[in-house]
Every structure is written in C-alpha cells, then in structure tokens.
Amino acid sequence: MIDETRQRRKRTRNKIIRDFIFIVISIGIIGVALLTGWIASLNLPDFDNFENRDISNSTKIYDRTGKIVLYNIHDNVRRTEIPFEEMSPYIRQATVSIEDSHFYEHNGFRPTSFIRAMLANIQSGGFSQGGSTINQQVIKNALLTRDKKISRKIKEIILSIKLDAQLPKDTILQIYLNESPYGGTLYGVEEASLSYFDKHAKDVTIAEAAYLAALPQSPTYFSPYGKNRAALDKRKNLVLQKMNELGYITEAEKIAAQNEVVYFDHDVSNSGKALHFVMYVREYLEQKYGE
C-alpha cells in the first residue's frame, strides 16, 4: 500500500515535471517565433553600395610647397579620408586593442561582449557599457541613429554581420579610422594626427597612436585641452597595456611609450594664413565649380 502511494506520487511528480518542461519549451518556441517575426518586420537601412556612400571631407588650400595648410574649408567636419596603407600600423593595432580585441576573429558581433555589457548596464541602471564591435560602430556611425533603443541595437547587429560578410576586415577598420570622432570637428585619424601632432597618420609614434585610440570613446571628456588630461593619460596607458598583451608591442616598447612625453599642438583653430590669397582662391573655386 505504501509502495503504491509512493509510485503514484512519483508518477504525479514526473507528470508535473514533463508538463512544466513542455510549457517552457512551448513558450520558448512562441517567443522565438515572435522575435523572428519582429526582426523580419524591422525597416533596415539600404546596405547597397555601402563603400560608395557620400562622405564629407574637408577642402584644404596649401602653399606652393604643398606642406603648409593656408586654410581648411569645412562644414562642421574636418576630415581627410586616406587609404589603409597610409595609416600607421600602431594606430590600427592600438584601435583594435582598446575597441575590439577580437576584431579579426568574430563575424561582426560578439554575443559574450553584448551580454556582459547588458548585465553591466542593468547593474548601473544606465547605458555605461556598449559592448559594440568595430563593425557595429561603423554601422552606427554610417547608417543608424544614436537612439538607445532595442530595435536600433537589433538592426545594428544584423547589419554588422552583413557588413562582415561583404567587406574584408582591413576595409572595415579603414572605414572606422576614417570616420571616428577625435574631438570637436575632427573626424578620422589623418585629420586628428595633423591637428594634434602636426604629422600624418602614417608617421605617429606608438604613444601618439595610443592617445588617438583613447579618444573616440568620449572625445569631449578625454580632450587633451580639457580638465581630464589625467584620465586621458590613464586610458592611453591602458591602450598600451592591451597592445602588449595582444603581442603588438614588446614590454620595453610599452614602458618607453608610457614614459614618452607627448605634446599636443594647441593651434587647432581654423584662423588660416595668407587670407587675401585664400579669399582669391575661394572666389575662383566658387566661380568655376559653384559654392
């Protein structure tokens, strides 16, 4: 009698467990179906001819030597697009180290980074962590708004995976380095290198490259001319540490770059030189090509 009661209870318990598992699986299937339908209904931006989209660049007037910039004409954007080969390897390595250390391994999206950032945001009650790959940042800068919405994040992930399948990694990194913000109206590593260090992006030192890689996360906060220079130096050293951990630089190179005193050019205004000549050139260009 006791054995029959135990068996009946066992059968009842097993039935409850089976029913519970069935309900959970059913809810999961329905949830996945609804999520898939919602994703399919999202209005994604046009991805065709991504590389050929229109990008604003500055127009510069040089002196006869071709080295001194007399004037930099821009519309709230100072950008000079350059090919991948004209970007210092240090800039590429520093950027990958701090922004997306698994850039050359993932397919455009890293679920582990996304989940870790999501948990950190839940704990902080805000959006302090992004968890975005370089692909995602390229998509966000080029095709999407900066609204902090779930739908925008889903679009970003889908397009990032698509971008990775369509373009080589080096091309994606080139786009990122040509379009990232580096403070004020500065966009792209070439314009940032010229403005901050008075040299081309291909000529920067390891320490200078680390500073450039440190800026895009928060260009205003980390501005070398602001009150948070100590925070910028700390982040620069973090970049160098990660470059060392990933094998891009040796321990000796890391220590030397951390101790290197880097001077930022404070003449980043657009006041110009030889203004009478500049105005003549501008009038000539407007007459020939239109304003």
Side-chain angles (χ1 to χ4, degrees):
M1 185 72 176
I2 296 176
D3 289 341
E4 290 181 7
T5 302
R6 287 178 177 174
Q7 289 177 0
R8 191 162 50 250
R9 289 177 178 173
K10 185 177 180 180
R11 286 195 297 269
T12 302
R13 186 169 59 249
N14 289 340
K15 184 177 184 303
I16 292 172
I17 293 174
R18 288 196 302 270
D19 290 345
F20 176 76
I21 293 174
F22 175 77
I23 292 172
V24 170
I25 293 176
S26 299
I27 292 174
I29 292 174
I30 293 172
V32 170
L34 290 174
L35 180 62
T36 302
W38 177 66
I39 291 175
S41 68
L42 290 175
N43 184 23
L44 294 175
D46 184 13
F47 198 79
D48 295 335
N49 298 317
F50 178 84
E51 289 183 274
N52 298 324
R53 70 196 186 287
D54 186 29
I55 301 174
S56 298
N57 284 294
S58 302
T59 298
K60 298 180 178 64
I61 299 176
Y62 293 88
D63 74 345
R64 71 174 65 188
T65 68
K67 295 181 179 180
I68 299 176
V69 179
L70 300 179
Y71 203 77
N72 192 355
I73 306 169
H74 59 88
D75 182 18
N76 296 323
V77 172
R78 291 178 61 179
R79 184 200 331 260
T80 302
E81 192 173 2
I82 58 173
F84 191 71
E85 295 73 22
E86 293 184 20
M87 300 173 180
S88 166
Y90 298 139
I91 291 179
R92 306 179 217 154
Q93 295 161 0
T95 300
V96 168
S97 297
I98 195 66
E99 291 291 341
D100 187 358
S101 59
H102 295 276
F103 173 67
Y104 285 101
E105 302 165 15
H106 60 63
N107 66 343
F109 171 64
R110 288 198 74 219
T112 53
S113 297
F114 177 73
I115 293 172
R116 186 166 55 248
M118 185 173 61
L119 293 175
N121 289 332
I122 292 173
Q123 290 180 341
S124 65
F127 291 92
S128 58
Q129 299 290 324
S132 297
T133 62
I134 286 177
N135 293 54
Q136 288 174 258
Q137 294 182 59
V138 167
I139 291 297
K140 179 171 60 180
N141 292 335
L143 296 178
L144 300 175
T145 65
R146 293 185 175 272
D147 295 338
K148 295 184 182 297
K149 296 179 179 178
I150 295 177
S151 58
R152 189 202 60 78
K153 197 68 178 179
I154 296 297
K155 293 178 184 178
E156 178 185 295
I157 292 171
I158 294 172
L159 292 172
S160 296
I161 295 172
K162 191 172 182 180
L163 176 68
D164 204 79
Q166 181 168 313
L167 299 180
K169 287 288 190 180
D170 286 349
T171 301
I172 297 172
L173 183 58
Q174 173 187 323
I175 294 170
Y176 175 84
L177 291 171
N178 271 321
E179 299 186 18
S180 289
Y182 288 90
T185 59
L186 300 178
Y187 288 82
V189 289
E190 176 71 356
E191 199 64 47
S193 299
L194 289 169
S195 297
Y196 288 133
F197 309 124
D198 194 26
K199 59 176 69 173
H200 293 287
K202 62 183 176 63
D203 300 321
V204 300
T205 66
I206 296 176
E208 290 166 343
Y211 272 119
L212 291 177
L215 286 168
Q217 184 193 55
S218 183
T220 301
Y221 178 80
F222 288 121
S223 171
Y225 311 121
K227 60 181 181 179
N228 300 309
R229 178 60 189 267
L232 174 61
D233 291 339
K234 182 178 179 180
R235 184 164 172 80
K236 177 263 298 184
N237 288 335
L238 175 62
V239 174
L240 294 169
Q241 177 63 35
K242 289 185 174 293
M243 290 178 72
N244 174 245
E245 292 173 358
L246 292 172
Y248 290 130
I249 59 175
T250 65
E251 183 71 15
E253 287 175 322
K254 181 196 77 172
I255 294 173
Q258 286 176 338
N259 294 329
E260 180 182 335
V261 178
V262 174
Y263 295 98
F264 288 82
D265 189 349
H266 283 270
D267 183 21
V268 294
S269 66
N270 195 26
S271 57
K273 307 175 182 69
L275 292 180
H276 288 293
F277 176 71
V278 166
M279 290 305 106
Y280 162 76
V281 173
R282 291 195 63 166
E283 289 175 8
Y284 170 79
L285 292 173
E286 289 174 9
Q287 289 174 5
K288 187 167 184 178
Y289 301 107
E291 189 174 354

